[in-house]
Amino acid sequence: MDIDDKQNEISVDPEFAEIFSKFNAIRPKSEMETISEEQNDAEKDFGEVKTEEEEELERTVLSKKKRKLLNRMTIAQLKQQVKHPEVVELHDANSNEALLLVHLKSYRNTVPVPRHWIQKRKYLANKVGIEKSLYRLPDYIEATGVSKMRDALAEAEAKKSRKQKQREKVRPKMGKVSMDWKMLHDAFFVYQTKPEHLTIHGDIYYEGKENQINASKYKPGVMSAELKQALGMGPGMPPPWLYNMQRYGPPPSYPNLKVPGVNAPIPARLGAQYGMQPGGWGTPPTDEDGHPIYGNPYDIEEEEEEKQELRKHWGSFEEDEEDEEEEEEEGEDEEMEEEIMESI
């Protein structure tokens, strides 16, 4: 029973009648009614054509954020439309003029924006509390002995009394450090070296840059004495990754790299030997005929010379024996003619 029926039966004050009318019970729709309503809505949508004003109203209903997302290019689309896609970064597509931004970034001698612009914490905040290392003189200035002289003067100053220090303030003594000027000149103009941490144009400092390792001074295949000692390699012992290289081949990133025991001979002068014994250099990879696959690990010169001769003469025309005989006959005829002419 609806509330309206109850109101008819029960007498309600006119002041509360409006309130009760708002709480009418909603009767659930049957399946047939919902289907008929959907059909009517579909017929209306099919029959009606939306005008330009209605489309504009639908567009205005969208929020500003959604409209920006609709008009924004993706990173893939941006990379396809520019000449230098390697310059495109994650936040470049968010710009109002993304194409202009990427063009300016790819322009010659352009300095990039520092990386910390997006970070919410303060710049160099991770260095708070870290003790700053003292300045150390370069090696070419340290070799002159200036630091030792300064340390000796500082010790002498510490031993002086207060009266002596006040007397020196009134009458200071100059030229305390007796320096060899020729040595000082050579330190700056002969033995001076280039600093390690010089940056190129456009290379901006970022947090933790000084802790990064400069990989340019390391060469593939060259092992220092410190690295050999850390790996526990004695004289004539192979590196621990040799067996994997013999199994899978040398690294493809370095096609010209010579690895002893894989595509180059082992150091026999240090007592290195092939084999699986402790300190042995394994077995180089070979094909079905027993020939090395990657290079010449056995240092066989004869086979290499034969291969080079085959490479030189492969595809060349063989000289016929008849041509050689004809050349010999022509040479004999010329000699006979010369003898006849001399006898005449």
Side-chain angles (χ1 to χ4, degrees):
M1 188 180 288
D2 295 340
I3 294 174
D4 294 333
D5 299 335
K6 290 180 180 178
Q7 285 180 358
N8 296 328
E9 294 177 0
I10 304 167
S11 61
V12 182
D13 292 337
E15 295 178 0
F16 300 103
E18 294 179 1
I19 298 170
F20 278 106
S21 64
K22 292 180 181 179
F23 291 94
N24 292 331
I26 299 169
R27 183 173 56 83
K29 295 179 181 179
S30 63
E31 293 182 0
M32 295 299 293
E33 288 177 350
T34 53
I35 292 167
S36 62
E37 285 180 2
E38 289 176 359
Q39 287 177 355
N40 294 331
D41 294 337
E43 288 175 0
K44 287 180 182 178
D45 294 336
F46 182 74
E48 293 178 1
V49 178
K50 292 181 179 179
T51 60
E52 292 181 357
E53 294 179 356
E54 290 176 353
E55 290 179 357
E56 287 179 1
L57 284 170
E58 287 182 358
R59 289 175 188 170
T60 53
V61 169
L62 293 174
S63 62
K64 290 184 179 180
K65 189 175 183 181
K66 288 182 179 179
R67 273 182 283 169
K68 283 182 180 179
L69 291 172
L70 287 173
N71 298 327
R72 185 179 295 170
M73 287 189 295
T74 61
I75 296 174
Q77 292 172 348
L78 183 60
K79 286 188 174 184
Q80 290 173 0
Q81 296 184 23
V82 296
K83 291 183 179 179
H84 300 278
E86 68 277 1
V87 184
V88 178
E89 293 179 353
L90 183 64
H91 300 278
D92 292 346
N94 302 342
S95 174
N96 294 330
E97 297 291 339
L99 295 172
L100 177 61
L101 173 64
V102 176
H103 174 70
L104 293 174
K105 285 176 70 175
S106 60
Y107 203 72
R108 186 171 174 270
N109 291 337
T110 302
V111 179
V113 178
R115 298 181 189 177
H116 62 269
W117 70 270
I118 198 171
Q119 294 178 357
K120 293 183 179 179
R121 60 191 180 85
K122 292 184 178 180
Y123 183 55
L124 299 178
N126 63 339
K127 286 197 169 185
V128 176
I130 297 174
E131 187 178 356
K132 188 177 179 182
S133 59
L134 296 173
Y135 177 73
R136 190 172 62 86
L137 289 172
D139 294 334
Y140 58 90
I141 299 177
E142 193 75 32
T144 58
V146 176
S147 59
K148 293 180 181 178
M149 295 179 187
R150 292 180 66 185
D151 293 340
L153 284 172
E155 289 179 3
E157 286 286 334
K159 293 177 180 178
K160 288 181 181 178
S161 61
R162 193 170 68 179
K163 285 186 178 180
Q164 290 175 337
K165 291 178 181 179
Q166 289 175 352
R167 197 179 298 124
E168 284 188 356
K169 284 182 181 179
V170 178
R171 297 178 182 178
K173 293 181 180 178
M174 308 301 292
K176 291 182 179 180
V177 180
S178 58
M179 190 69 200
D180 187 359
W181 298 109
K182 178 68 170 60
M183 186 185 293
L184 194 63
H185 175 272
D186 292 345
F188 284 97
F189 295 99
V190 180
Y191 303 111
Q192 187 175 4
T193 56
K194 192 176 181 180
E196 294 181 1
H197 302 291
L198 281 180
T199 56
I200 59 174
H201 175 75
D203 191 5
I204 301 173
Y205 176 79
Y206 52 89
E207 293 185 33
K209 186 178 181 181
E210 66 276 6
N211 299 327
Q212 284 189 345
I213 299 170
N214 185 16
S216 61
K217 61 182 180 181
Y218 299 109
K219 295 181 181 179
V222 179
M223 299 177 67
S224 62
E226 295 176 355
L227 179 58
K228 289 180 180 179
Q229 185 178 0
L231 295 172
M233 291 171 55
M237 289 182 66
W241 53 82
L242 177 66
Y243 299 131
N244 286 332
M245 284 191 181
Q246 289 176 348
R247 184 182 300 173
Y248 302 110
S253 301
Y254 303 98
N256 300 322
L257 180 63
K258 298 294 182 184
V259 182
V262 180
N263 56 5
I266 59 177
R269 58 186 180 81
L270 298 175
Q273 293 180 354
Y274 284 113
M276 302 305 293
Q277 71 275 10
W281 287 71
T283 54
T286 55
D287 55 10
E288 295 176 355
D289 299 328
H291 299 296
I293 298 174
Y294 302 110
N296 183 22
Y298 294 105
D299 197 12
I300 302 171
E301 298 178 357
E302 296 178 358
E303 291 184 2
E304 288 293 324
E305 290 176 359
E306 288 177 2
K307 288 179 183 178
Q308 289 177 2
E309 288 177 2
L310 289 170
R311 288 171 191 163
K312 288 179 184 176
H313 299 292
W314 186 86
S316 60
F317 294 101
E318 295 181 359
E319 297 180 358
D320 296 333
E321 294 179 358
E322 295 179 359
D323 295 339
E324 293 178 357
E325 291 177 358
E326 288 178 1
E327 289 177 359
E328 290 177 359
E329 290 177 0
E330 288 177 0
E332 290 176 358
D333 293 338
E334 289 177 359
E335 288 177 2
M336 290 290 290
E337 289 177 1
E338 288 178 0
E339 289 177 359
I340 294 167
M341 291 296 292
E342 287 175 359
S343 61
I344 295 171

